Amino acid sequence: MSLEAKFAELSVGDEVSIVETIKAEGIVKSGFADNIEALIAKCASKDAAEAVAGLKTVQAIAEGAPEAGAVIKECLSVCLAQATSKSTDVRNAAPEAAFAICKNVNPFAIKSLLPFIFGKLPVEEKWQVRELALKCIPIFNEIAPRQLGNALPLIVPEVTACMWDTKKQIKKASSDAMETSMNVIGNKDIEHMTDKILQAITKPKDVPEIMHKMAGVTFVQSVESPALAMVVPLLLRGLREKTTATKRQSAVIIDNMSKLVDNPLDAGPFLPLLLPALETNADSISDPEARAVTEKAVGQLKRLKEMSDKQAQLRGDVSKLDGEFLKALDCEDAAGGLLSVIKHSSIIATTMMDLGFMEDMQWEKNIASQFTPFFDKEKAAAAAEKVREEASKMLVIPDDDDEEDDAEELCNCQFTLAYGTKILLHNTKMKLKRGKNYGLLGGNDSGKTTLMRSIANNQVEGFPDTSQVRTVFVEADIQGEQSHLSCVEYVVADPKVQAMNIPEEDVRKVMETVGFRPDGKAKPDHAVSTLSGGWRMKLALARAMLQRADILLMDEPTNHLDVINVAWVKNYLNSLTDVTAIIVSHDSGLLNDCCTHILSIENLKLRTFKGNLDEFAKVSPDIRAYFSLKASSKTFKFPQPGPIDGVRSKGKALMKMNDCTFTYPCNDTPTLFNINVQVSLSSRVACIGENGAGKSTMIKLLVGETIPQTGLVWKHPNARIAYVAQHAFHHIENHLGKTPNEYIRWRYANNGEDKESLVKDSMIFTDDEIKLQKKPYEIQFTDPESGKIQKYKKVVSELMGGRKSNKQKEYEYEVRYAGSTVDSGEYLPQKILKKMGWDKAMKAVDLKIAQRSGLYIRPLSTKNVEEHLEDCGLDREFGTHYRMSALSGGQKVKVVLAAAMWNQPHILVLDEPTNYLDRESLGALAGAIETFDGGVVIISHNNEFTQALCPETWLMDAGHLETKGDADWMLKQDVKIDDQQQISEMTDAAGNVSKVKGQKKKLSKKEEKQLMKKIKGKIKNNVELDSDEEEFAFEKDLL
């Protein structure tokens, strides 16, 4: 009996023989594929017996003949519809049949069932039908969790709409379906938030609080479509909330999550929902900071959309799979059951492509088996393989940097890179070819140096082992424990050089090629500690040359180098035909002249571009900040210096060097000869010259780090000086366990005194000074009662920190005499104390008083330091919550700069400030220096930077100094300090505002006489004096 006849006379019990027929003859020969409509009609029958027989048959076929899955699924809709039958038997059989179809479908074909389920969810359908349809969805979690995750973008919107239903059965069924679906999102970052996300759908008033918790999630894992499907409804609600804070949090989460989307096609379905809502907020939010955060998220989503659109075009239209099957099976005119199976197979194939199931065995099992009822096994397998090959081609996304040249490939890897808890690069690709130079671009803290150090240390997944591809990291930092070695010993001591058994003679030959000669500026047998920054870099290059590297990793190779040596580095790099170089540099000239490719770190990805910096800027205009300091979008702000007692002109010298000559202990010839310079509040000086010419040495003399053998170095006692050294990290190398905020508060904790300022050679007593201090000195005193002059021989044991001016306007310092157990309260003039060997101690007192005056305006609170660090370019996240050991080189420089500027210096001295800072930060630094009211001295080889800021130049040549520039410029800047805007109030850590006295106006003789008369009258009549009058009275001995 044929199946057609059996379906016509169908009754309960026939299902067993029908299943056996289908299994024995297949869905074609048995006639099942052509007679499915007859079975559907039986299931839909109003006759209870017929309907039950039909539903039992559907259940039996679904469970007993899985090869019929492509056809039996057509019965799902009618099974769901029978949930409202008047017959109890039919109502009981309907869910069993529906669930059997869902449980036994090919796991990759669950998307083919969704149209039938979704068709029964609209509110127009009866609630029993809708409930049964919703109950089908959790079944997919049991049989196909990954495939369910792949289908979530389709499922979530449909189920979400049902969760707001007024019928409690629908609410419960939809909530159960959604909760089950959330179990397959596969993202550990948000797994613990699934109950909150579910709560947000049903309780909109809880959205702000839930968004706040979501904003605290650290996203590390790749974000795929299942996670996006769950989170996007919540994000949309957050974007539509009334409060700006919730809108801002939504934008932050979108920005963070979108950076971790590895496959832009995963985000494709959600971008049309999120982008318009974000753009609306970017236009309407009034808070500038929240609006900026939202605009940043908009920019990130637009970049993601661009990549999604591009990949969709490159991967082809997956609907073309129908055509590929027709072509492979050579059945362009397929109809009926075969066409149904082809469409079913296309859905299976599409899901397998999405989930990466592309092995031939997988396709033979899941797809070839669908066609065996129509064709012989060999043809079905061959057709499946043809379609698999075409599908694989659709998945290939050509790399932007694919080249036609035959250069050897040194590396082609995919990896993730983190520093501590911070993700720097996520699932990114890197391809390197022999003989190419790659410029590595990215802002401070993007991970440039960490990437290169990780490559050098064999810590990048998939990167060839250093034993196969010799990789050398070139850096100029010399560790403290090696500073006593000679230059040759330093190179020979390198473990990699030792492993290669390179003789010392060869080391000397290579060092000579870069300029280390016995009769040269840098001598091979002198200690490395005597080298300037430029020669340290050349020594590092010499060490790298000896190791015969396949890949050179160069971190700021032109740092500290003068023009001549920069040209040498360029020529050297361009001469390397078989060596690959990765170069981190802020020197746009180097990147243009030497780079064949650009590697740009953007949104946790490494983007490769063929061409130099100029060519890259044409396609990425934002990179123009590498060319122009003015193009910087960042801003730094330095605290303005306060007034200086006794200084009324910006042109008055605050620092001087007169006839200073200096020779290093290991040298016979002086490094500096007869240096004469001065610095005032109006100074804007660029100190330039060749490497080793003596620039840094002169600056160290000027700021008191070292002492000249002959000549005089003078600083105004009330002036505060900020000094950032060439090797800036030495300021903080003993405090890397502190956060930047903790470091600054430690450094200035003692009433604003700078703990680092007293650790200088110029502040340490010499043996001769100590001998003078112990020698009794005859001091004259006038007895106030008798008026007689008395003489005593006394020894001063220490200075107590007090200071005042006498009638001759000379400073007197409070002293304690030897043998005294209490503070003497006695003051001695500056001239006498200098003869007694206490000159450096007086300078220390001056320094402390000057520093304390800086503290008064801004108390040393965590909040104030945090704001100050932000003004100097370091985000509060890194300033207050990260230890300095976890910061990048650029961030450490900002810490050193902020620490130096904390006490509001009058003079800022910067030795190579452009090193380690990206161009954005460099432009911001230039802007801050332009608006700074104090004096500035800069050593730099960055001509663009110094020309933009400094009209005066000190040219150092072999220890001799020549000054150049606008001769009238200093005169033009001689502005009266009275004209400067004075600070009128201060705010302490608790927010209390108090008035600050401005600089006192100097009284004329007439005004002074009138004030004296007024005060005498008040004293005579016992009238209380105000603080200014009282101070004037003490000064004039009226009290």
Side-chain angles (χ1 to χ4, degrees), residues 186 241 455 492 540 578 587 610 668 680 705 760 792 806 811 830 968 1035:
E241 281 290 310
I455 291 172
V492 172
D578 291 326
D587 182 345
K610 187 178 180 183
D668 298 327
S680 70
E705 292 273 324
K760 296 180 180 179
Y792 299 95
N806 57 25
Y811 281 133
Q830 183 177 358
D968 297 326
E1035 190 180 321

Side-chain angles (χ1 to χ4, degrees), residues 197 200 207 210-211 214 230-239:
I197 296 170
V207 168
I210 294 167
M211 289 301 303
M214 272 290 286
M230 283 300 171
V231 175
V232 163
L234 174 62
L235 296 175
L236 282 171
R237 280 188 170 273
L239 291 173

Side-chain angles (χ1 to χ4, degrees), residues 801-815:
R803 188 186 74 183
K804 67 178 184 179
S805 294
N806 57 25
K807 291 181 180 180
Q808 288 76 38
K809 294 186 178 180
E810 180 190 23
Y811 281 133
E812 295 184 347
Y813 294 82
E814 187 177 9
V815 300

Side-chain angles (χ1 to χ4, degrees), residues 60-84:
I61 295 171
E63 292 174 347
E67 62 268 30
V71 179
I72 198 66
K73 70 180 183 181
E74 302 292 336
C75 300
L76 180 57
S77 184
V78 71
C79 294
L80 298 174
Q82 286 290 35
T84 58

Side-chain angles (χ1 to χ4, degrees), residues 559-832:
N559 267 9
H560 314 292
L561 296 184
D562 56 34
V563 176
I564 297 168
N565 284 312
V566 168
W568 181 89
V569 170
K570 289 180 183 179
N571 290 334
Y572 173 67
L573 283 171
N574 290 330
S575 70
L576 300 174
T577 54
D578 291 326
V579 178
T580 297
I582 302 179
I583 307 161
V584 171
S585 179
H586 298 120
D587 182 345
S588 53
L590 178 73
L591 297 177
N592 271 326
D593 295 344
C594 297
C595 291
T596 58
H597 295 72
I598 297 294
L599 295 174
S600 177
I601 298 176
E602 300 172 17
N603 303 313
L604 309 184
K605 300 292 182 188
L606 200 58
R607 178 184 172 195
T608 305
F609 175 84
K610 187 178 180 183
N612 64 9
L613 186 63
D614 278 344
E615 290 163 341
F616 181 56
K618 292 173 185 175
V619 296
S620 294
D622 291 347
I623 213 71
R624 67 183 183 281
Y626 274 87
F627 298 97
S628 171
L629 297 175
K630 299 293 182 183
S632 175
S633 59
K634 293 182 182 177
T635 55
F636 290 180
K637 186 172 70 174
F638 290 159
Q640 296 300 347
I644 306 178
D645 188 24
V647 177
R648 306 188 61 80
S649 166
K650 288 191 77 172
K652 184 173 181 178
L654 298 182
M655 304 175 79
K656 287 182 183 178
M657 289 175 66
N658 291 330
D659 297 326
C660 290
T661 296
F662 176 79
T663 308
Y664 280 105
C666 58
N667 290 348
D668 298 327
T669 307
T671 303
L672 300 175
F673 298 88
N674 300 324
I675 303 298
N676 290 278
V677 294
Q678 68 177 41
V679 184
S680 70
L681 283 172
S682 61
S683 293
R684 287 288 186 280
V685 181
C687 185
I688 61 175
E690 289 185 17
N691 293 132
K695 304 182 297 299
S696 294
T697 304
M698 182 186 74
I699 292 301
K700 286 181 180 179
L701 290 177
L702 183 65
V703 299
E705 292 273 324
T706 52
I707 308 168
Q709 281 82 13
T710 61
L712 174 68
V713 179
W714 174 86
K715 179 184 79 71
H716 192 286
N718 293 329
R720 295 185 293 275
I721 313 299
Y723 171 53
V724 177
Q726 184 181 69
H727 306 289
F729 301 158
H730 93 265
H731 293 278
I732 59 173
E733 61 189 9
N734 295 325
H735 306 279
L736 296 178
K738 297 183 177 75
T739 67
N741 199 310
E742 290 168 344
Y743 166 66
I744 291 177
R745 286 185 285 119
W746 164 85
R747 181 166 163 178
Y748 292 96
N750 188 21
N751 293 320
E753 295 172 14
D754 184 355
K755 289 187 176 74
E756 291 199 359
S757 62
L758 298 178
V759 189
K760 296 180 180 179
D761 290 346
S762 61
M763 303 301 277
I764 298 171
F765 295 124
T766 63
D767 292 340
D768 290 342
E769 288 170 333
I770 293 171
K771 192 181 290 185
L772 275 175
Q773 291 168 6
K774 291 179 178 178
K775 182 180 177 182
Y777 189 85
E778 187 177 273
I779 302 169
Q780 292 184 352
F781 292 97
T782 302
D783 190 310
E785 294 180 4
S786 64
K788 290 183 179 179
I789 295 175
Q790 299 179 346
K791 296 181 180 180
Y792 299 95
K793 283 199 173 183
K794 292 199 173 191
V795 174
V796 172
S797 63
E798 64 176 314
L799 268 59
M800 302 304 299
R803 188 186 74 183
K804 67 178 184 179
S805 294
N806 57 25
K807 291 181 180 180
Q808 288 76 38
K809 294 186 178 180
E810 180 190 23
Y811 281 133
E812 295 184 347
Y813 294 82
E814 187 177 9
V815 300
R816 174 188 282 171
Y817 293 116
S820 174
T821 56
V822 295
D823 297 347
S824 65
E826 294 283 348
Y827 283 81
L828 288 179
Q830 183 177 358
K831 289 178 182 177
I832 291 176

Side-chain angles (χ1 to χ4, degrees), residues 190-207:
I190 57 175
E191 275 178 354
H192 66 288
M193 291 290 298
T194 51
D195 57 330
K196 300 292 182 187
I197 296 170
L198 197 63
Q199 179 185 337
I201 296 171
T202 54
K203 297 179 180 177
K205 64 180 178 62
D206 294 342
V207 168

